[in-house]
Amino acid sequence: MDRLSGELAWLTLLAALWGGSFLFMRVAAPVFGPLPLIALRVGLAACLLLPLLWRRGLWPLWRDNWRPVAAVGVFLTAFPFSLIAWAQLSLPAGMASVLNATTPLMTALWAWPLAGERLAVPRAAGLGLGRPGIWPGAGCPACRRWRPRAAACSARRC
């Protein structure tokens, strides 16, 4: 297997895992509840990642910086995923994944006023090309209620 095929295989696996998580959240959120589900999801991820820190010798760095890392984890992972899980109590998994697809667009838009990133022509063109890819999800007939959509959209703006 050449390098490109290997990278495409990893990308396909990542896409399947990432997309599958929305189906999992759609099924599990009504059973567990949004907050316990996300606590379980984030907790399992931590249990898998902390041993990697230890093995790679990064434990002292983690120990010295755990507070800011935890804050970033809460505000950029746990809180947005909680909003998505809450929204998925009434949204289809496909709509949640489409709304999640706005992450790069929202990142680029928020980087402009908050981090001083220039919105150069290539970035603006990327935003313009990315927006129509998300438009079809906006007309979803099963998504007429505004609160779940607002929660999912807010999650992506965090």
Side-chain angles (χ1 to χ4, degrees):
M1 183 179 336
D2 65 349
R3 182 174 177 208
L4 180 60
S5 297
E7 288 177 5
L8 287 175
W10 279 111
L11 183 61
T12 303
L13 176 65
L14 176 64
L17 291 172
W18 189 262
S21 70
F22 289 95
L23 178 60
F24 169 73
M25 280 199 300
R26 178 66 180 112
V27 171
V31 176
F32 291 106
L35 293 178
L37 173 66
I38 298 309
L40 179 66
R41 181 180 177 172
V42 172
L44 285 173
C47 288
L48 291 171
L49 293 174
L50 287 175
L52 289 174
L53 285 174
W54 184 271
R55 198 169 114 206
R56 293 186 177 190
L58 298 172
W59 190 257
L61 184 64
W62 161 255
R63 188 184 57 233
D64 295 341
N65 297 295
W66 73 270
R67 284 184 182 94
V69 171
V72 166
V74 166
F75 291 108
L76 298 181
T77 302
F79 182 66
F81 280 153
S82 296
L83 289 174
I84 290 171
W86 177 73
Q88 282 196 291
L89 292 173
S90 58
L91 283 181
M95 180 64 178
S97 63
V98 166
L99 289 171
N100 190 55
T102 65
T103 301
L105 300 175
M106 292 301 136
T107 301
L109 287 174
W110 281 105
W112 181 24
L114 297 178
E117 290 280 330
R118 281 191 24 221
L119 195 59
V121 174
R123 256 187 216 155
L127 287 171
L129 291 172
R131 189 173 176 179
I134 296 163
W135 247 194
C140 175
C143 307
R144 297 289 182 225
R145 293 176 49 200
W146 65 270
R147 286 180 8 183
R149 274 169 111 183
C153 288
S154 298
R156 292 299 90 204
R157 287 181 175 91
C158 291

